[in-house]
Amino acid sequence: TNGGFVIWEFKTDAIISSPFGTGGFVTLRTTVPWPNTTGGVVFQHVFNNNDGYQKRRYETAPTTWSAWSTTLS
């Protein structure tokens, strides 16, 4: 397909530098809007499995990410 895709993962929070601390698990949703950068950058939402809070970050280069920022639930 020419469109993007979404990946859902269950991760240890330490492996993704979770903004919720370490020692547990989070749900990570990665959205790839297009197969290349012409359709926008890749972004991620992380969901705290204990209280439902979420944070967002986006790619700033092919292997680097912005800081996590708060999003509306």
Side-chain angles (χ1 to χ4, degrees), residues 1-72:
T1 68
N2 290 331
F5 54 93
V6 175
I7 302 166
W8 288 89
E9 299 173 274
F10 188 66
K11 297 271 193 179
T12 59
D13 44 19
I15 199 131
I16 62 162
S17 301
S18 170
F20 302 118
T22 59
F25 295 91
V26 294
T27 301
L28 180 69
R29 181 181 74 204
T30 303
T31 303
V32 181
W34 201 250
N36 57 47
T37 57
T38 61
V41 298
V42 174
F43 60 93
Q44 293 183 319
H45 280 91
V46 63
F47 300 87
N48 184 332
N49 293 327
N50 295 322
D51 57 21
Y53 287 115
Q54 62 178 290
K55 301 269 185 171
R56 181 178 190 262
R57 71 180 179 181
Y58 57 90
E59 70 174 342
T60 57
T63 59
T64 59
W65 294 95
S66 69
W68 291 104
S69 62
T70 301
T71 64
L72 299 175

